[in-house]
Amino acid sequence: MIIETHDLTRVYGEGDNKIRALDMVNLSVERGEFLSVVGTSGSGKSTLLHLLGGLDRPTDGRVFIDGTDLYSLKPDALTVFRRRFIGFVFQSYNLIPGLNVWENITLPLGLDGIRADKDEIENLLASLGIADKRFAMPSELSGGQQQRVAIARALAAKPHIVLADEPTGNLDSRTSLEVLLLLGQLNRELSQTIVMITHNEELAQMTTRRVHMEDGRIVSDSGKAVEA
Amino acid sequence: MSIISNLALGQLRSHRKRSMVIAAAILLTTLLFMTVLSITVGIAQSVELMKQLATGSDAHANFDAEQFMLPPYELMERVKAEAGVDDAFLIASYQNYTDDVSENNRRVSTLFAVSGENVLEHLFMTLEEGSFPADADEILLNRELYPDMKIGDTITITSQLPLKDKPVFMDFVHTYTVSGFTSGATDEQFPALVWYSPEVVADYDVDLNVFLTFDSTIDITGKLNRLLESLSDIHKPDVEVSSRVNNAFIGADIVEFLTNPANILLILCSVAVVFFAAFLLIYNIYSIALTQDMQTYGLLGVIGTTYRQMKQLILRQTLILYAAALPVGLTAGYFIGWRLLMPIFMRMADYGDLPYRFSGWLLILTALLTLVTLIFSALRPLRRIRKLTPIQAVNATADTVTKRERQRGTRRRAAPFTLAMAAVRRNPKKLIVTSLSAALSILLFVFIGAVADGVTEVTLSDMQAADFILSYYRDTDYGSAPVSLYNDVPMDESIPQQIAAIDGIVSVDCVRYAYIQFKGTQSIADYANAYMERRGADSPWISQKLKDAAAGNPHAVVISIPDEYCKYLRVSRDANGKYYEYGSAKELYDGQHILSVAEHFKSFGETSISAHLEGGELLVSGGLSQTYTAIEVDSYIYSLFRKICNISWSSSDLACFVLPSSVFDAEFADSSLFAILAEAENGREEEVRAALDELAGRTPTVDLPSSLDNASAYLHISGKLEQMETLRERLAAINIVGYSLSAIIFLIGLINIVNSSLTSVMLRRREYAMLEAVGMTGRQLRAMMLWENSVFSAAAALALVIGIPLADIILANGMGVEVTLRPVAAVVMLLVLIAASAATSLAVWSMLAKSPVTERIRAAE
Ligand SMILES: Nc1ncnc2c1ncn2[C@@H]1O[C@H](COP(=O)(O)OP(=O)(O)OP(=O)(O)O)[C@@H](O)[C@H]1O
Ligand SMILES: [Mg+2]
């Protein structure tokens, strides 16, 4: 199991305003799965993804990534772990302003003190169709191009897992499809584990496993039966 | 280049305006530090130079040559060869020298015999003409004191030297040929200089010292001790080492200097003021920048940037700007701080002519202080990030907040006041930071003003009390000087009435004196006997008065101080070192007590205490109607006398007592008039001065009977108004520095508040646009901003209400004088800051409001 959660719970607010955004979620993901998470707005999808990636702190429960208990790590260790094993793509606000495409993509590697393999990045850029944009600044890119750069960055450090929160949310259907096909290709050819949130049922159908959330719980999972 | 530096550059590039503002702040900080340090160094150097000129030499230390077994010149060479010693030279002093050429044949001074021409520069002397003595029979003369002599002339000099075998003074007479002339820069001019030859004075016990300079002036005391240690092999057994450090050098005892609270306070205060001001500015800029970039930092966290790396990022950004701004700042600092402001300050403080040395350390210290301030202020805001998870940082935009705000807006009535309070509640930290930094800059502003006032107060408190003081002065070789009591030249009794008759005179008081003989104590007789024995029984220095003292009937002068002025004579110190007021010491007016002055003075190289009655002893005299009980006072009374008028007497053969005039007048029907203290009506001082000048002009001069040089005395006017003239510029300098620092602080406070309200509106422009979109009018929006503003203002005012009394306490304890912070200035500055903040918010808003709402909502994305 590359991802495992045990009774993962996240409560926001206090007293009357308490919201159980995640309620005792148990989820296991195998290496090489392409998992999509669907559900209504406010059902806790983003919360789950953030917790899987060590971006937030759970109120209760645990997250294991490749056997490592994520939240037992010290803050800086968790950061380093994230840098090496997890890649993120958000719906928007993905790129660091002031750095060009190339610099944005190689940033996680650089933070680790690793020199980026030039050919590899070139290949990545080429396969994402943004080879000619390598020295462009984020502000000079279209939304879809930005999204592809974000994906390239998420992949550059060869993470074990890619977590994507509505990566196509801001894109038109044609571009959405392109991005999704790309992710699928990565999943098939490199056996890249991917967890993706989407509102688009059509896109969800193209993944290898679908999880449906409601009120902070997983209500259905195409990969296995969920106990009531 | 590393990825972090790359990132740093990228951030700088995408926030050009902000980078410029930070660079400007660094420049301003450098400039401020440089100015403060320049003035500090200027003061330190001038104090050092003035003291050197007063002590007459730039030698760091000296010790008696007597205590060593080597002959003087060999000893000198040995010292020169020691580690850490820069130069060593010999100076012998032949005391009480008189010559056979000057007008009146008598010139009481000291003849110096030195080891070589190099000594001249150590004594701040220059060879104007001729050459250094080639042998022990040649002499250099001071050109100013011997205007009529020529090279080749002869001069016979007599000085008094103690004999080797018994400590009796003998005349040492030697005839010299003039080899050249010198001029000097020191306060006291050396009249003549000869080459030191041990053979010529072989029979005498000459006071010969080895003077030396070290490689540096730091820790002179320690260096001297180590030097004497290493000379211990040639040290005479059973002779005590006697050595002296030239205290003119601040570095002489760096530890003492550094432990002197006043010095530390001064330096720390100025550095702290600059630090604080710069901190406020830079911290705020970085804090705002962090808020603006919060999302980027969140994203960096998501990607896996550790906190340490983020610190590195800020640090590199800052260092890049520092590297760019520092050279400009240092250059500007050098020209504005060192070349422009420091000399202005020094000239106004009367130290203008001294040669100030610029030191590279000044640049290094400025650069370091700026760097420390910068790094501290820049990194501080980043701590906020530490408390956030990356996802909180990514979401920490006005966006999420607005959603909730909108809910609130629909739930309750969207009154401007409620919304403003909600905005304040949402970000209590901002409330604290903004209001505290405003309060702090106001506090600094009034604090500096108060310190300047305090320094003025301290300076003024040293001034003479009376507007005008009339007393006899005489001309000496070294300028005019007040006539001493032992000259016994009383002023004409008609003068006080003449002064009282001048229009505009408010009061006239007299300082009087009378001579008495009293019943001596054993210790006074012992003192007189010891003194006579050391001087030699038939020396001209042994007066009849001393002989009487030895016989049990000492002489004394009784001084009368006008009751009005007795308050300046503080008698004793309490456990805290504070003075009691003489005026409040009731027993002085009871006709039963008298002040007895115990003066410390130097004779035979050691400090003696003058003949005096000790506290509690009785003053019994045929010249007095009753007996008085003595209250002993130290010689610090001298400095207190100075506030009233210049009083001096010959303490070696005269005791001195002081009474308030009410008691004195009852005791002495017949006394002599020493000085007149006059007060003028406010506003008529100039008129009075003219009349007094006229009076002094027509008062005839009198001969000084007991003077050695047949001089005459003339009426001289001194006093507070005279001192004011010379002090005015110095006070102006203090005020200029104080007020310009205040102005800079004010400016920084202003920049700060404008900057933060500007960015506050910019950051929340989307929120405001949203509010407008849901139906808030521009009027209501403006009202909301003003309400918010007033909460900050109220918080700042509250901080001031607490802060001002606190600063008052600090000042009162730190400076020892009563100074009050100026609440009015504080209130005015607060109002200006509030107005500036409100005006900025409204101005920015009205500029933004020109574009349509929808555009503004989108623009924030
Ligand atoms: N920072 C927060 N503070 C308080 N409540 C929050 C916070 N973030 C999320 N929530 C609440 O937690 C619940 C789950 O939110 P989450 O963002 O996970 O939903 P989601 O499924 O991603 O929704 P969407 O499809 O709209 O993105 C929601 O009810 C939301 O209001
Ligand atoms: Mg979501």
Side-chain angles (χ1 to χ4, degrees):
Chain A
M1 271 327 137
I2 193 158
I3 303 176
E4 244 185 293
T5 70
H6 289 294
D7 298 341
L8 195 60
T9 304
R10 178 66 162 99
V11 181
Y12 287 115
E14 275 166 26
D16 286 348
N17 298 331
K18 235 180 203 170
I19 294 170
R20 288 184 91 78
L22 271 193
D23 193 5
M24 305 278 275
V25 170
N26 289 296
L27 175 71
S28 305
V29 181
E30 301 258 16
R31 196 179 296 271
E33 274 190 295
F34 187 176
L35 183 87
S36 58
V37 182
V38 293
T40 53
S41 178
S43 57
K45 306 182 294 291
S46 296
T47 307
L48 174 66
L49 202 78
H50 296 157
L51 285 173
L52 292 184
L55 296 180
D56 199 1
R57 295 224 147 239
T59 312
D60 212 347
R62 292 167 172 216
V63 176
F64 291 91
I65 302 291
D66 228 1
T68 303
D69 184 351
L70 214 52
Y71 294 100
S72 69
L73 297 174
K74 293 213 170 63
D76 269 4
L78 175 59
T79 307
V80 172
F81 183 89
R82 183 165 62 231
R83 176 159 91 200
R84 294 189 182 150
F85 296 106
I86 303 168
F88 275 97
V89 183
F90 292 120
Q91 182 177 356
S92 57
Y93 300 128
N94 265 304
L95 304 181
I96 309 284
L99 293 186
N100 65 23
V101 168
W102 185 274
E103 289 163 339
N104 256 291
I105 291 173
T106 55
L107 185 56
L109 291 169
L111 289 172
D112 237 351
I114 298 169
R115 185 173 282 279
D117 183 331
K118 231 178 143 191
D119 292 338
E120 235 168 75
I121 306 288
E122 294 278 5
N123 282 340
L124 199 56
L125 284 173
S127 63
L128 287 166
I130 43 173
D132 54 330
K133 297 284 180 195
R134 83 185 64 149
F135 297 123
M137 296 306 276
S139 54
E140 298 159 358
L141 297 178
S142 75
Q145 286 165 338
Q146 285 189 23
Q147 217 55 4
R148 277 179 274 179
V149 174
I151 293 170
R153 186 185 57 207
L155 295 171
K158 301 209 194 70
H160 292 24
I161 308 164
V162 171
L163 302 175
D165 192 344
E166 297 182 50
T168 60
N170 275 344
L171 307 178
D172 61 78
S173 56
R174 209 181 84 97
T175 321
S176 294
L177 195 63
E178 270 175 30
V179 168
L180 198 86
L181 287 174
L182 195 88
L183 288 174
Q185 186 188 348
L186 285 168
N187 171 252
R188 278 190 310 278
E189 290 176 5
L190 305 172
S191 301
Q192 178 74 57
T193 312
I194 301 172
V195 178
M196 176 186 77
I197 295 173
T198 181
H199 278 282
N200 188 324
E201 270 301 323
E202 250 174 78
L203 297 183
Q205 290 305 323
M206 297 169 68
T207 62
T208 62
R209 177 179 163 194
R210 284 161 302 283
V211 164
H212 190 106
M213 291 194 68
E214 216 57 76
D215 282 338
R217 290 160 189 268
I218 295 176
V219 290
S220 81
D221 184 342
S222 72
K224 62 172 178 182
V226 182
E227 68 263 42
Chain B
M1 199 184 348
S2 85
I3 191 79
I4 304 268
S5 304
N6 219 343
L7 203 54
L9 271 177
Q11 284 207 340
L12 290 181
R13 261 196 307 262
S14 53
H15 295 281
R16 262 169 226 276
K17 258 188 217 142
R18 188 165 84 201
S19 306
M20 298 295 278
V21 172
I22 296 175
I26 296 173
L27 205 144
L28 205 64
T29 310
T30 316
L31 185 65
L32 274 175
F33 270 127
M34 190 81 176
T35 306
V36 165
L37 289 181
S38 290
I39 290 176
T40 311
V41 167
I43 291 173
Q45 283 190 10
S46 64
V47 167
E48 200 170 279
L49 267 164
M50 303 279 274
K51 281 195 189 164
Q52 287 176 38
L53 293 177
T55 55
S57 107
D58 71 348
H60 296 162
N62 69 68
F63 54 84
D64 293 352
E66 276 302 280
Q67 357 177 80
F68 293 92
M69 295 183 285
L70 288 183
Y73 278 94
E74 278 172 50
L75 177 63
M76 181 181 93
E77 291 305 328
R78 163 82 191 264
V79 171
K80 260 192 212 173
E82 290 290 324
V85 174
D86 180 48
D87 197 8
F89 50 97
L90 301 173
I91 299 181
S93 36
Y94 305 163
Q95 266 145 41
N96 302 323
Y97 108 107
T98 54
D99 63 52
D100 64 344
V101 291
S102 37
E103 223 172 86
N104 43 42
N105 261 7
R106 280 183 176 278
R107 198 176 281 278
V108 181
S109 189
T110 305
L111 174 67
F112 286 98
V114 303
S115 54
E117 187 166 356
N118 66 318
V119 182
L120 290 183
E121 59 176 342
H122 287 300
L123 299 178
F124 299 103
M125 293 164 87
T126 35
L127 196 58
E128 295 281 310
E129 205 183 311
S131 57
F132 190 78
D135 56 38
D137 295 326
E138 290 195 333
I139 193 166
L140 279 177
L141 296 178
N142 186 319
R143 187 33 114 190
E144 237 178 89
L145 302 182
Y146 289 95
D148 301 328
M149 298 284 282
K150 300 188 303 292
I151 290 177
D153 284 355
T154 56
I155 179 169
T156 301
I157 285 182
T158 308
S159 38
Q160 293 190 314
L161 294 179
L163 285 176
K164 261 219 170 101
D165 33 10
K166 61 174 181 171
V168 164
F169 283 83
M170 284 291 285
D171 280 354
F172 167 68
V173 187
H174 201 96
T175 301
Y176 300 93
T177 311
V178 177
S179 71
F181 291 92
T182 61
S183 67
T186 51
D187 297 0
E188 192 171 333
Q189 304 268 307
F190 302 121
L193 204 75
V194 298
W195 178 67
Y196 173 69
S197 152
E199 289 77 39
V200 174
V201 287
D203 296 339
Y204 299 91
D205 188 12
V206 171
D207 178 18
L208 177 69
N209 280 284
V210 179
F211 283 73
L212 60 142
T213 52
F214 293 106
D215 294 339
S216 87
T217 58
I218 298 186
D219 190 28
I220 291 176
T221 313
K223 283 185 177 145
L224 181 63
N225 288 338
R226 285 191 289 279
L227 173 71
L228 292 175
E229 190 108 325
S230 75
L231 293 179
S232 57
D233 57 313
I234 50 166
H235 195 260
K236 280 186 189 162
D238 307 327
V239 178
E240 215 179 303
V241 184
S242 132
S243 62
R244 289 150 295 272
V245 160
N246 188 348
N247 287 317
F249 289 94
I250 286 181
D253 201 339
I254 195 84
V255 180
E256 191 181 319
F257 179 75
L258 288 181
T259 47
N260 181 348
N263 295 333
I264 289 306
L265 204 73
L266 180 81
I267 297 173
L268 279 191
C269 254
S270 349
V271 171
V273 162
V274 177
F275 179 85
F276 255 131
F279 170 74
L280 284 182
L281 185 63
I282 298 169
Y283 174 88
N284 241 335
I285 297 173
Y286 272 90
S287 183
I288 291 166
L290 186 72
T291 311
Q292 283 174 331
D293 292 352
M294 194 55 103
Q295 216 167 32
T296 307
Y297 283 100
L299 200 55
L300 282 172
V302 169
I303 290 168
T305 314
T306 59
Y307 182 69
R308 257 178 59 112
Q309 285 174 321
M310 289 187 197
K311 252 164 87 168
Q312 280 293 321
L313 173 60
I314 300 264
L315 213 58
R316 298 217 183 153
Q317 272 182 36
T318 309
L319 287 182
I320 291 169
L321 291 175
Y322 174 73
L326 187 72
V328 186
L330 286 181
T331 314
Y334 174 76
F335 284 107
I336 297 177
W338 180 263
R339 297 289 292 276
L340 184 75
L341 288 180
M342 192 274 280
I344 289 180
F345 178 77
M346 289 300 145
R347 196 158 305 129
M348 299 194 91
D350 255 2
Y351 301 138
D353 306 331
L354 299 174
Y356 295 100
R357 283 163 286 125
F358 184 78
S359 151
W361 282 106
L362 207 59
L363 294 177
I364 294 171
L365 202 59
T366 305
L368 275 181
L369 280 172
T370 309
L371 187 63
V372 169
T373 311
L374 188 62
I375 290 179
F376 182 80
S377 325
L379 287 184
R380 203 84 208 155
L382 195 63
R383 291 171 171 230
R384 246 160 60 202
I385 287 269
R386 206 174 200 167
K387 299 202 193 95
L388 301 179
T389 63
I391 206 69
Q392 279 172 323
V394 167
N395 288 337
T397 60
D399 195 4
T400 46
V401 169
T402 317
K403 265 186 209 157
R404 280 194 280 156
E405 205 55 55
R406 243 186 313 183
Q407 284 167 5
R408 195 169 262 141
T410 48
R411 257 207 325 264
R412 301 184 206 161
R413 265 195 48 223
F417 179 73
T418 351
L419 281 175
M421 292 309 125
V424 171
R425 239 180 291 125
R426 208 167 58 205
N427 201 345
K429 247 204 180 129
K430 188 184 161 212
L431 169 72
I432 293 169
V433 170
T434 313
S435 50
L436 264 190
S437 71
L440 211 59
S441 50
I442 294 174
L443 264 183
L444 281 177
F445 174 69
V446 286
F447 196 84
I448 292 173
V451 169
D453 284 355
V455 173
T456 308
E457 189 110 334
V458 169
T459 314
L460 287 180
S461 71
D462 278 345
M463 289 213 316
Q464 290 181 317
D467 286 348
F468 297 103
I469 302 170
L470 278 87
S471 61
Y472 277 127
Y473 268 60
R474 67 191 186 104
D475 287 325
T476 70
D477 289 342
Y478 318 122
S480 69
V483 161
S484 164
L485 276 174
Y486 69 74
N487 293 125
D488 197 10
V489 276
M491 266 158 80
D492 194 294
E493 290 292 343
S494 73
I495 298 180
Q497 287 146 34
Q498 292 178 48
I499 294 176
I502 294 174
D503 257 3
I505 284 284
V506 183
S507 73
V508 178
D509 289 289
C510 297
V511 174
R512 304 185 151 272
Y513 67 98
Y515 282 110
I516 55 167
Q517 258 183 296
F518 63 102
K519 191 163 161 285
T521 59
Q522 190 56 49
S523 75
I524 293 178
D526 288 349
Y527 161 83
N529 280 319
Y531 190 91
M532 293 200 295
E533 186 167 336
R534 294 177 107 163
R535 277 287 184 192
D538 29 77
S539 140
W541 303 92
I542 305 306
S543 65
Q544 184 58 43
K545 288 196 180 97
L546 258 176
K547 288 177 188 158
D548 289 344
N553 282 309
H555 293 251
V557 60
V558 183
I559 301 170
S560 157
I561 303 292
D563 287 21
E564 180 77 354
Y565 292 85
C566 284
K567 61 175 180 243
Y568 299 112
L569 298 181
R570 290 161 296 198
V571 169
S572 56
R573 283 180 252 203
D574 64 13
N576 299 325
K578 290 212 165 124
Y579 289 107
Y580 287 124
E581 298 291 306
Y582 173 70
S584 66
K586 296 243 164 40
E587 57 262 44
L588 284 170
Y589 295 98
D590 63 5
Q592 308 288 323
H593 292 82
I594 195 161
L595 278 189
S596 167
V597 180
E599 197 207 343
H600 296 259
F601 67 96
K602 263 200 140 135
S603 118
F604 293 94
E606 51 191 79
T607 315
S608 314
I609 304 180
S610 63
H612 68 283
L613 283 183
E614 284 163 31
E617 286 179 342
L618 292 182
L619 172 63
V620 181
S621 165
L624 297 173
S625 62
Q626 58 162 108
T627 59
Y628 291 88
T629 308
I631 299 173
E632 191 178 326
V633 287
D634 238 329
S635 34
Y636 70 77
I637 196 95
Y638 259 128
S639 57
L640 302 177
F641 275 154
R642 217 167 293 138
K643 268 201 79 95
I644 300 162
C645 68
N646 277 304
I647 300 176
S648 70
W649 63 94
S650 161
S651 55
S652 63
D653 56 11
L654 266 184
C656 172
F657 298 103
V658 180
L659 280 175
S661 59
S662 54
V663 180
F664 182 94
D665 290 345
E667 185 65 66
F668 298 98
D670 210 16
S671 62
S672 306
L673 178 57
F674 181 70
I676 299 167
L677 313 175
E679 294 283 347
E681 204 175 299
N682 274 347
R684 299 184 67 174
E685 289 91 352
E686 281 311 309
E687 192 186 320
V688 169
R689 174 194 303 272
L692 286 177
D693 276 340
E694 192 266 327
L695 177 92
R698 69 178 142 82
T699 306
T701 60
V702 289
D703 288 341
L704 290 175
S706 53
S707 103
L708 291 164
D709 44 8
N710 300 327
S712 60
Y714 52 88
L715 214 51
H716 176 86
I717 303 171
S718 53
K720 181 161 74 188
L721 295 178
E722 200 72 30
Q723 286 185 328
M724 269 295 225
E725 290 289 301
T726 51
L727 271 178
R728 191 163 292 149
E729 293 207 321
R730 191 176 299 201
L731 292 178
I734 290 165
N735 280 328
I736 281 184
V737 170
Y739 288 124
S740 48
L741 272 182
S742 286
I744 292 171
I745 301 292
F746 182 85
L747 210 70
I748 283 179
L750 201 67
I751 294 176
N752 225 331
I753 204 97
V754 167
N755 188 25
S756 62
S757 29
L758 194 132
T759 40
S760 163
V761 178
M762 293 296 278
L763 277 176
R764 285 158 62 190
R765 62 187 186 275
R766 186 159 173 217
E767 177 186 340
Y768 292 145
M770 290 283 199
L771 287 169
E772 211 178 328
V774 298
M776 211 167 184
T777 64
R779 209 190 147 91
Q780 282 172 318
L781 259 173
R782 279 194 289 274
M784 186 184 93
M785 284 182 200
L786 291 182
W787 273 119
E788 236 184 284
N789 198 302
S790 58
V791 175
F792 290 111
S793 313
L798 189 73
L800 278 182
V801 167
I802 300 165
I804 287 191
L806 215 74
D808 241 341
I809 293 169
I810 294 173
L811 266 181
N813 288 327
M815 300 198 69
V817 286
E818 289 283 315
V819 283
T820 37
L821 294 162
R822 300 172 195 169
V824 180
V827 169
V828 169
M829 179 162 171
L830 181 64
L831 289 179
V832 170
L833 290 189
I834 292 171
S837 158
T840 311
S841 303
L842 295 180
V844 173
W845 172 248
S846 69
M847 253 171 56
L848 289 175
K850 279 181 193 142
S851 57
V853 176
T854 48
E855 201 140 288
R856 269 180 279 144
I857 293 177
R858 215 174 317 126
E861 299 254 330

